[in-house]
Amino acid sequence: MPAAPITRRRLLLGGLGLGLVGAAGGAAVPVSPVPPTIASRPRSAVPAVTKDSAPGNALVERVWSQARGMYVELVTMRPAGVSAGPLPVCLILHGRGGAARDYIPFGIPALLTGAVRAGAPPFAAVAVDCGRMYYMNHGGDDPMRMLVEEVPRWLAHRRHAAPTAVLGFSMGGWGALNLARRRPDLRAVALASPALFQRWSVAETRKAFASERQWREHEPLQHIDELGAAPIGLWCGSEDSFAGPAREFIRKAHPEHAAITKGAHDNAYWHKVLPEIMRFVGSHLA
């Protein structure tokens, strides 16, 4: 069997479903902080979202995606109290059945504000509708091409910086790793309960892949050496059905940060770990 190709990442490692609020059409959206879903707070410089959290700012716009062949919503979230102007951008990828504007009531704007008030350098978060299927081309609907080609152009037109970090939830974590294969310039990749598949027999049950060949071409666990050199952080609940694949990813990819702690594949777990995730992203965008 021929030796695996030596890539930059390999060289570096060698020594070792939510509610909806808001309005479309470019209208600013009032943000109400979400109540805490977990009593305990992780050790982090970023406060958890509570009823007393200061809201951030969010803008929802409807834009035409040639890559997807449809209008999609582009959601830009910024911390409150930060002067207008370009900020480093973290792209947020939703899970299956999710939508970009879900992250407003989920509390991302409030977390951005809390991070700044805790002393972190400010950054913005941008989410965009990527559909119900995995981040592949399905019959001409190509969300990955939208992320790579169109989102930076949309943001530049609005005088925002191109995304240099990505945070993916569930299926979005799968998409984030595939984006990292195409964007070697990323400065951080954060994965919240990534939906990874160790075997085709399991992936096939998702009815998202046209064939085993398509799964093998896109499954991140099959392409660890192509992920580039961006620091990776992974968080997954120990009771999550994806905990096994997450552990395999940790063994193979040696991410900079890895945490498998008590929790399931749900909002409660993600609210618990999000402050730590935001600190991870912010530290690499400073």
Side-chain angles (χ1 to χ4, degrees), residues 34-40 49-50 106 266-272:
V34 299
T37 57
I38 292 289
S40 61
V49 178
T50 72
F106 193 63
D266 55 26
N267 289 356
Y269 176 76
W270 296 326
H271 280 149
K272 182 176 71 171

Side-chain angles (χ1 to χ4, degrees), residues 112-197:
L112 293 172
T113 300
V116 171
R117 293 188 174 183
F123 66 94
V126 170
V128 61
D129 292 335
C130 292
R132 289 185 50 81
M133 305 302 283
Y134 280 70
Y135 289 73
M136 301 177 295
N137 188 340
H138 288 273
D141 181 356
D142 193 347
M144 184 57 66
R145 184 163 74 88
M146 175 186 70
L147 296 176
V148 173
E149 298 178 6
E150 294 181 313
V151 169
R153 187 167 67 247
W154 294 338
L155 294 180
H157 182 71
R158 290 157 177 79
R159 298 186 179 181
H160 296 310
T164 50
V166 59
L167 162 59
F169 290 84
S170 187
M171 181 190 81
W174 191 94
L177 290 171
N178 275 287
L179 181 64
R181 293 171 62 190
R182 292 158 175 79
R183 287 281 312 277
D185 60 319
L186 288 176
R187 296 168 62 182
V189 177
L191 310 171
S193 312
L196 304 176
F197 301 100

Side-chain angles (χ1 to χ4, degrees), residues 30-51:
V31 180
S32 299
V34 299
T37 57
I38 292 289
S40 61
R41 289 169 54 178
R43 295 180 181 179
S44 170
V46 182
V49 178
T50 72
K51 65 180 181 179

Side-chain angles (χ1 to χ4, degrees), residues 16-269:
L16 312 163
L18 301 170
L20 302 180
V21 301
V29 180
V31 180
S32 299
V34 299
T37 57
I38 292 289
S40 61
R41 289 169 54 178
R43 295 180 181 179
S44 170
V46 182
V49 178
T50 72
K51 65 180 181 179
D52 299 317
S53 296
N57 299 312
L59 180 69
V60 178
E61 299 174 271
R62 193 166 178 256
V63 296
W64 172 259
S65 169
Q66 187 68 37
R68 295 204 60 206
M70 66 182 71
Y71 281 100
V72 298
E73 287 191 335
L74 178 73
V75 179
T76 305
M77 295 164 280
R78 294 170 57 96
V82 175
S83 58
L87 292 175
V89 172
C90 176
L91 186 64
I92 296 183
L93 304 184
H94 61 74
R96 191 171 190 177
R101 64 167 62 200
D102 295 347
Y103 292 102
I104 301 172
F106 193 63
I108 294 296
L111 280 166
L112 293 172
T113 300
V116 171
R117 293 188 174 183
F123 66 94
V126 170
V128 61
D129 292 335
C130 292
R132 289 185 50 81
M133 305 302 283
Y134 280 70
Y135 289 73
M136 301 177 295
N137 188 340
H138 288 273
D141 181 356
D142 193 347
M144 184 57 66
R145 184 163 74 88
M146 175 186 70
L147 296 176
V148 173
E149 298 178 6
E150 294 181 313
V151 169
R153 187 167 67 247
W154 294 338
L155 294 180
H157 182 71
R158 290 157 177 79
R159 298 186 179 181
H160 296 310
T164 50
V166 59
L167 162 59
F169 290 84
S170 187
M171 181 190 81
W174 191 94
L177 290 171
N178 275 287
L179 181 64
R181 293 171 62 190
R182 292 158 175 79
R183 287 281 312 277
D185 60 319
L186 288 176
R187 296 168 62 182
V189 177
L191 310 171
S193 312
L196 304 176
F197 301 100
Q198 295 165 297
R199 298 178 300 279
W200 165 242
S201 59
V202 178
E204 188 177 18
T205 65
R206 304 290 285 190
K207 302 187 184 303
F209 304 94
S211 64
E212 181 177 0
R213 178 180 177 180
Q214 186 186 51
W215 165 72
R216 289 190 181 278
E217 288 176 351
H218 295 279
E219 172 55 47
L221 289 174
Q222 304 279 332
H223 300 278
I224 297 295
D225 287 337
E226 300 175 20
L227 294 179
I232 296 174
L234 184 150
W235 290 258
C236 188
S238 56
E239 286 75 51
D240 194 319
S241 62
F242 291 111
R247 290 188 175 95
E248 179 178 338
F249 181 87
I250 291 167
R251 289 193 302 270
K252 289 183 174 180
H254 308 285
E256 179 178 284
H257 181 91
I260 296 184
T261 54
K262 185 175 179 59
H265 198 86
D266 55 26
N267 289 356
Y269 176 76

